[in-house]
Amino acid sequence: MRPPSVSDVARRAGVSKATAARVLGGYGRVSAAIHAAVSAAAAEIGYRPNELARSMTTGRSDTIGIVVGDIANPFFAVAVHAMSQVLRAEGFGVLLANSAESLAEEKAAIDTLLGRRVDGMIVSPADMRESSHLRAIVDSGVPLVQFDRCAAGLAVAGVTADDRDVAAEVTHMLIRRGHRRIAYFTACETDSGRFSDLEEIGTGSVRERIAGFLAAGEGLEDTALEVVVGAVGAKRAQSLATEVLSRGAEAPTAMIASDSTIGLGLYTAARAAGIAIPQALSLVTFHDADWTAIAHPGITVISQPARRLGEEAARMLIRQIQTGDGTCAHRVVPCRIIPRGSVGDGPVS
Amino acid sequence: MRPPSVSDVARRAGVSKATAARVLGGYGRVSAAIHAAVSAAAAEIGYRPNELARSMTTGRSDTIGIVVGDIANPFFAVAVHAMSQVLRAEGFGVLLANSAESLAEEKAAIDTLLGRRVDGMIVSPADMRESSHLRAIVDSGVPLVQFDRCAAGLAVAGVTADDRDVAAEVTHMLIRRGHRRIAYFTACETDSGRFSDLEEIGTGSVRERIAGFLAAGEGLEDTALEVVVGAVGAKRAQSLATEVLSRGAEAPTAMIASDSTIGLGLYTAARAAGIAIPQALSLVTFHDADWTAIAHPGITVISQPARRLGEEAARMLIRQIQTGDGTCAHRVVPCRIIPRGSVGDGPVS
DNA sequence: TACATGAAAGAGACCGGTCTCTTTTTGTGG
DNA sequence: CCACAAAAAGAGACCGGTCTCTTTCATGTA
């Protein structure tokens, strides 16, 4: 049994399909009497407009595609929430896709979304080094806003946090407090399993942060900044941290975690090794997760404006759709450093 | 500029629309030569099938609608992640809608999704007392699986945790350890601002938990079980807990939090009031959040199988879609109690 | 050579809306 | 009372696919 269509309503109301469509679609002019009759007939048989068919002719689907790395990650969850609120208020539905931070899956997701004729897309590119699939979006004439990360050499709007600046700021702070050996932990992987070049880091936001981190130490002779890659998940982060901390006098006196899951791993590793925070080790993590305020001591965090980033991206996209304006504005939303107590003075202070 | 269509490809390849469609749609029989020619033409002009048009004739949209209370809530975030993984593997896209736990928004969301002709829906009903809109889904012939909560008197499939049982179990455990005054904190609101009747609780899962909680104390004369409502957000939970704890000798010696946000509020309240956990107050919270393992002492939690619940719901829906089978199976996935150290002996032990 | 057979290609209806163009009805003014 | 404009209703094309039905053409066999 197919659901009732305009024709069914028309037949029941004894009018032409065109007239019924005018009433049901809310366009054109119809006499009050007929309007009432059609509305009544529609209610009786439970008519519900087929938005697919409507999209077919209007060319608009009133749907926005969102592709993020991992919806279970609180940062993305909050951002997606914010986006969908803003979009819903404007009458858009949200088609959500997870890329699992895999380029292949991201491409596949974008393909499906383009096939579904979304009116716009918000994508957080898994790898800033590959942007052909993003270009395909633009070439299809579909408005696009990059989220949290931006692909290299692509003139497309984007909303990001001030990753590089805030990373540099926090690193400077650690150096100022006397730290000379600082390690940055990221979940990103490299072919060799070690970090040697910024180019190896595909995730745009992380690359920015590491760039800021390294820039902060540039020119300082006695300062050793180290980047540890492959810290995927708390478990792995913990074991990597344990390894690094076991270097004794050569071990870093301060650590920066690229996300709160890693931060948790580092914190756990320090506790397990009996290393006192902040006396023997300073710790800073990105993302203001619940546990950071509860920990002893409280963990100094870089709070990411997930909600504002999401809202901003959605608004930017809507503007682009409504005005048809393709200017590739880049909006940077500042992070906030929340000092809590996990940062102490280093050996040289 | 409209994107290229089957006709465009056909024209370029010098064949009929029907033939081109056969190649592009992957059905019927076509000679190898023509197949190659059409494929080449499609690639040249960048043809991408219009899934909307396809849905139009096939009647399937390959899209599943998911309506949850709050995607920013880790429980739902993880569940939605699991669902979309399972669904994607089966070729379905996901249209996500947030109800903000509001019945009105839930109805609106369902309406839009039905209009978009989704092939199935997974909904976590905001209010188990109202199910007319859910019935509308079933009446439209759209397969539906309820998630985490089930509406009353509705013969529709559902996947839930064993909320009632686990709540009873944890309450029994507290009673066994000597607690006589136990408070259960929920974010649900009632008209009066106080709890007097189970009927006032709209959220199915919460009602189940409270039912189990109260059942565990039934018949025990000296046991006072209390339900505190309106604990929305950590802040509010904290102030409500502070109030309850200030009752001195009349204050509960054990508390159960209906989610980890509330749990955090309770924990913070206890610390702020200088009440020792578990010596003076025992604490249990639903959801195995990060912070519960980090806290001092670790918080005993009721771990919800969010991932499994999500997978199960998705699989159940797929089965229903593929077999057309409308049996309203109810699947209950057990929660796991993770003892950590926040539960101590009560005064009567 | 003639004819049955079946594969390959084409023609055109259909899905459920929108929208343009045409026809009919209504209402107004001379 | 009729002309004429404007409003209301109808007819039918169209969007981009799928799919049925028909036609064409090559192959095999008697």
Side-chain angles (χ1 to χ4, degrees):
Chain A
M1 257 299 288
R2 291 203 157 273
S5 73
V6 177
S7 306
D8 297 323
V9 175
R11 198 170 313 122
R12 184 158 236 271
V15 299
S16 75
K17 178 186 162 193
T19 303
R22 276 190 266 262
V23 174
L24 300 172
Y27 57 89
R29 354 185 23 97
V30 196
S31 70
I34 294 264
H35 187 107
V38 171
S39 301
E44 281 169 33
I45 62 178
Y47 169 79
R48 185 190 308 276
N50 183 332
E51 299 295 342
L52 294 176
R54 189 169 278 172
S55 300
M56 195 77 231
T57 37
T58 60
R60 291 175 306 103
S61 63
D62 288 330
T63 305
I64 299 299
I66 298 182
V67 184
V68 293
D70 176 14
I71 186 63
N73 176 325
F75 170 72
F76 285 124
V78 169
V80 167
H81 182 85
M83 292 175 195
S84 64
Q85 276 188 324
V86 172
L87 292 170
R88 171 157 313 279
E90 250 2 93
F92 290 102
V94 168
L95 256 174
L96 183 72
N98 251 70
S99 73
E101 297 294 4
S102 132
L103 188 60
E105 288 202 44
E106 181 177 311
K107 286 182 175 178
I110 287 176
D111 231 56
T112 339
L113 291 174
L114 284 178
R116 290 229 165 76
R117 297 295 191 264
V118 292
D119 291 344
M121 276 201 202
I122 298 178
V123 178
S124 66
D127 196 324
M128 63 176 292
R129 294 164 294 187
E130 239 288 280
S131 61
S132 59
H133 56 307
L134 299 179
R135 194 161 281 123
I137 301 176
V138 180
D139 292 346
S140 307
V142 174
L144 166 67
V145 171
Q146 298 179 89
F147 179 75
D148 185 49
R149 317 147 182 187
C150 287
L154 194 67
V156 164
V159 180
T160 58
D162 62 340
D163 292 291
R164 183 191 293 242
D165 292 349
V166 81
E169 183 183 345
V170 105
T171 311
H172 271 130
M173 187 253 286
L174 290 171
I175 294 174
R176 214 180 311 121
R177 301 220 29 192
H179 293 278
R180 290 298 173 267
R181 289 188 311 284
I182 311 176
Y184 186 101
F185 285 74
T186 169
C188 289
E189 317 240 21
T190 62
D191 294 336
S192 64
R194 329 209 135 267
F195 174 85
S196 55
D197 194 305
L198 259 189
E199 286 293 319
E200 296 176 316
I201 306 295
T203 312
S205 49
V206 176
R207 188 192 285 194
E208 288 293 311
R209 291 176 195 170
I210 295 179
F213 169 69
L214 294 177
E218 217 141 81
L220 303 179
E221 295 219 339
D222 57 343
T223 303
L225 302 191
E226 178 185 1
V227 176
V228 179
V229 298
V232 282
K235 281 263 153 48
R236 186 99 186 84
Q238 184 178 344
S239 68
L240 282 171
T242 304
E243 201 182 308
V244 168
L245 288 172
S246 70
R247 297 204 294 241
E250 292 303 305
T253 61
M255 291 179 164
I256 304 175
S258 205
D259 65 48
S260 65
T261 308
I262 297 175
L264 189 57
L266 304 189
Y267 177 79
T268 314
R271 288 201 79 88
I275 297 175
I277 298 175
Q279 295 78 8
L281 179 70
S282 290
L283 181 59
V284 180
T285 180
F286 274 82
H287 189 64
D288 184 20
D290 279 343
W291 69 267
T292 59
I294 290 300
H296 274 285
I299 307 298
T300 295
V301 299
I302 297 161
S303 172
Q304 294 174 289
R307 156 146 233 104
R308 279 199 53 204
L309 283 169
E311 288 172 350
E312 202 58 53
R315 272 197 280 267
M316 201 178 258
L317 184 64
I318 290 171
R319 206 174 314 133
Q320 216 178 118
I321 292 172
Q322 289 176 344
T323 65
D325 150 28
T327 54
C328 56
H330 272 259
R331 179 133 176 61
V332 176
V333 183
C335 292
R336 203 160 43 92
I337 299 177
I338 304 178
R340 287 221 173 92
S342 62
V343 173
D345 292 328
V348 226
S349 68
Chain B
M1 257 298 287
R2 290 202 158 273
S5 73
V6 175
S7 306
D8 298 323
V9 176
R11 199 171 311 122
R12 184 157 234 271
V15 299
S16 74
K17 179 185 160 193
T19 302
R22 275 190 267 263
V23 175
L24 300 172
Y27 56 88
R29 357 186 20 100
V30 194
S31 70
I34 294 263
H35 188 107
V38 171
S39 300
E44 280 169 33
I45 61 179
Y47 169 79
R48 187 190 306 277
N50 183 332
E51 298 296 342
L52 295 176
R54 190 167 277 173
S55 300
M56 197 76 231
T57 37
T58 60
R60 290 176 307 103
S61 62
D62 289 330
T63 305
I64 300 299
I66 298 182
V67 185
V68 293
D70 175 14
I71 186 63
N73 176 326
F75 170 71
F76 284 123
V78 169
V80 167
H81 181 84
M83 291 175 196
S84 63
Q85 275 187 325
V86 173
L87 292 170
R88 171 158 312 280
E90 232 31 70
F92 290 101
V94 167
L95 255 173
L96 183 71
N98 251 70
S99 72
E101 297 293 3
S102 131
L103 188 60
E105 288 202 45
E106 181 177 309
K107 286 182 175 178
I110 288 175
D111 232 57
T112 341
L113 292 174
L114 284 179
R116 289 220 164 77
R117 296 296 190 264
V118 292
D119 290 343
M121 277 201 203
I122 298 177
V123 179
S124 65
D127 196 325
M128 62 178 291
R129 294 165 295 187
E130 240 288 281
S131 60
S132 58
H133 56 306
L134 298 180
R135 195 160 280 124
I137 301 176
V138 180
D139 292 346
S140 307
V142 174
L144 166 67
V145 171
Q146 300 179 87
F147 179 75
D148 185 49
R149 317 148 181 186
C150 287
L154 193 68
V156 164
V159 180
T160 58
D162 63 340
D163 293 291
R164 184 192 293 241
D165 292 349
V166 81
E169 183 183 346
V170 105
T171 311
H172 272 131
M173 186 252 286
L174 290 170
I175 293 175
R176 213 179 312 119
R177 300 211 44 181
H179 293 278
R180 289 299 173 267
R181 289 187 310 285
I182 311 176
Y184 185 101
F185 286 73
T186 170
C188 289
E189 318 240 22
T190 62
D191 294 337
S192 64
R194 328 209 136 267
F195 174 84
S196 54
D197 194 305
L198 260 188
E199 286 293 320
E200 295 176 317
I201 305 296
T203 312
S205 49
V206 176
R207 188 192 285 195
E208 288 293 312
R209 292 175 195 170
I210 295 178
F213 169 68
L214 295 177
E218 217 142 81
L220 304 179
E221 294 220 338
D222 55 344
T223 304
L225 302 190
E226 178 185 1
V227 175
V228 179
V229 298
V232 283
K235 282 264 155 43
R236 186 97 185 86
Q238 183 178 346
S239 68
L240 282 171
T242 304
E243 201 181 308
V244 167
L245 289 171
S246 71
R247 298 203 292 240
E250 292 304 304
T253 60
M255 290 178 164
I256 304 175
S258 205
D259 65 49
S260 66
T261 309
I262 297 175
L264 189 58
L266 304 190
Y267 177 79
T268 314
R271 287 201 80 88
I275 297 175
I277 297 176
Q279 294 80 8
L281 179 70
S282 290
L283 182 58
V284 179
T285 181
F286 274 82
H287 189 65
D288 183 19
D290 279 344
W291 68 267
T292 58
I294 291 299
H296 274 284
I299 307 298
T300 295
V301 300
I302 297 161
S303 171
Q304 294 174 289
R307 156 146 235 106
R308 280 199 54 204
L309 282 169
E311 288 172 350
E312 202 57 53
R315 272 197 280 267
M316 200 177 259
L317 184 64
I318 290 171
R319 207 174 314 135
Q320 216 176 118
I321 292 172
Q322 290 176 342
T323 66
D325 150 26
T327 54
C328 56
H330 272 260
R331 179 132 176 63
V332 176
V333 182
C335 292
R336 201 160 45 91
I337 298 177
I338 303 179
R340 288 221 174 91
S342 63
V343 173
D345 291 329
V348 228
S349 69

